[in-house]
């Protein structure tokens, strides 16, 4: 079965502003995010990419544009099911203001019980994304063979949930996974099991350096802004 290359979108204006963007229209890549996207074709240059699939949201579409420009024989397929979690009433709010919401404790420690007011549950988010991957795996294998490689550009929480699914990890533990903006995660699917072969790889280890303000113990809902 195929190898899936999961790319989180480059850093967005919402990431730098500390806003939970969700499905808010018009959220673009910031200057750094655009540079991250521009580097993507070089990072993936050695791979024979069969298909490119993207979330419909602008920040993902902008992230894959340089890759499409570098590979004129490919077109992007838009897949709604790998779009960002529907955060409902939390959409557009500052993450700093959300940290004191009682639901945030549930999101952090028991995400299978978390449902965003006016939005969707985290279980539903994972289910739709995993179903999309399984269907695309079958489609890519049918059209391009068992050794094909394809790219999906999506969002932090979506990618973390897909990694948890591949590892057989309970969704309640998925907040232990971290994927930075424009990082590359690779999952090789086989008849018996998936293999996680890359996780959140940016080729840049700056995010591992000590920061002036220690990182909080909570996971950033939506994925965070990455290295400063």
């Amino acid at each position: 079965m195929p190898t899936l290359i999961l790319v989180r979108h480059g850093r967005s204006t919402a990431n730098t502003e500390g806003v939970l963007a969700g499905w808010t229209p018009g959220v673009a890549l910031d200057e750094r995010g655009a540079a991250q996207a521009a580097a993507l074709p070089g990072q993936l240059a050695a791979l024979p990419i069969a298909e490119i699939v993207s979330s419909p949201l602008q920040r993902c579409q902008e992230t894959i544009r340089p890759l499409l420009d570098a590979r004129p024989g490919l077109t992007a397929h838009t897949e709604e099911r790998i779009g960002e979690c529907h955060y409902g009433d939390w959409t557009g709010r500052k993450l700093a203001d959300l940290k004191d919401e009682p639901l945030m404790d549930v999101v952090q420690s028991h995400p299978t019980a978390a449902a965003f007011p006016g939005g969707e549950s985290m279980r539903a988010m994972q289910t739709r994304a995993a179903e999309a991957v399984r269907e695309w795996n079958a489609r890519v294998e049918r059209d391009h063979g068992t050794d094909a490689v394809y790219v999906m550009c999506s969002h932090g929480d979506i990618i973390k949930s897909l990694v948890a699914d591949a590892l057989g990890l309970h969704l309640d533990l998925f907040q232990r996974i971290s994927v930075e903006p424009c990082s590359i995660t690779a999952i090789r699917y086989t008849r018996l099991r998936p293999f996680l072969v890359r996780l959140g790889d940016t080729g840049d280890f700056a995010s591992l350096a000590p920061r002036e303000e220690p990182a909080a113990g909570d996971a950033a809902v939506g994925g965070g802004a990455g290295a400063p």
Side-chain angles (χ1 to χ4, degrees):
M1 295 182 71
T3 296
L4 169 61
I5 308 298
L6 287 161
V7 177
R8 185 184 167 200
H9 62 78
R11 196 174 74 176
S12 72
T13 54
N15 292 145
T16 49
E17 292 167 3
V19 171
L20 191 61
W23 284 70
T24 303
V27 176
L29 299 183
D30 68 7
E31 185 176 354
R32 178 171 181 171
Q36 291 171 329
L40 195 59
Q43 291 175 285
L44 300 179
L47 297 181
I49 298 171
E51 300 281 3
I52 298 177
V53 185
S54 178
S55 157
L57 295 172
Q58 179 177 334
R59 52 199 184 273
C60 287
Q61 299 284 330
E62 290 181 354
T63 298
I64 61 167
R65 175 49 52 192
L67 186 59
L68 289 167
D69 290 343
R71 306 216 182 195
L74 292 176
T75 57
H77 303 274
T78 298
E79 174 56 75
E80 294 273 341
R81 292 173 295 177
I82 61 168
E84 182 63 283
C85 185
H86 292 276
Y87 294 116
D89 297 344
W90 280 25
T91 301
R93 293 182 61 186
K94 288 277 191 181
L95 289 166
D97 296 335
L98 290 169
K99 64 182 177 60
D100 295 326
E101 292 277 356
L103 178 61
M104 184 61 84
D105 288 337
V106 183
V107 170
Q108 292 294 327
S109 60
H110 190 23
T112 52
F116 295 98
E120 71 179 331
S121 70
M122 301 198 89
R123 286 183 293 108
M125 174 198 75
Q126 183 188 44
T127 297
R128 63 172 163 86
E131 287 177 348
V133 165
R134 285 166 173 76
E135 290 180 20
W136 274 100
N137 282 348
R139 176 174 172 175
V140 170
E141 181 176 14
R142 180 197 69 206
D143 294 345
H144 302 283
T146 57
D147 294 328
V149 177
Y150 74 108
V151 169
M152 272 190 174
C153 185
S154 188
H155 306 266
D157 282 347
I158 295 288
I159 293 173
K160 287 162 56 178
S161 75
L162 290 171
V163 170
D165 176 75
L167 292 175
L169 187 71
H170 200 286
L171 185 62
D172 282 345
L173 302 178
F174 99 126
Q175 298 290 27
R176 301 183 183 197
I177 299 165
S178 177
V179 290
E180 291 210 353
C182 224
S183 63
I184 295 169
T185 294
I187 303 171
R188 180 172 295 125
Y189 288 88
T190 75
R191 298 295 178 193
L192 294 179
R193 64 184 64 85
F195 291 91
L196 178 66
V197 293
R198 293 287 189 281
L199 175 61
D201 190 346
T202 63
D204 177 2
F205 296 98
S207 64
L208 302 180
R211 302 189 185 185
E212 292 182 8
E213 295 184 8
D218 288 346
V221 180

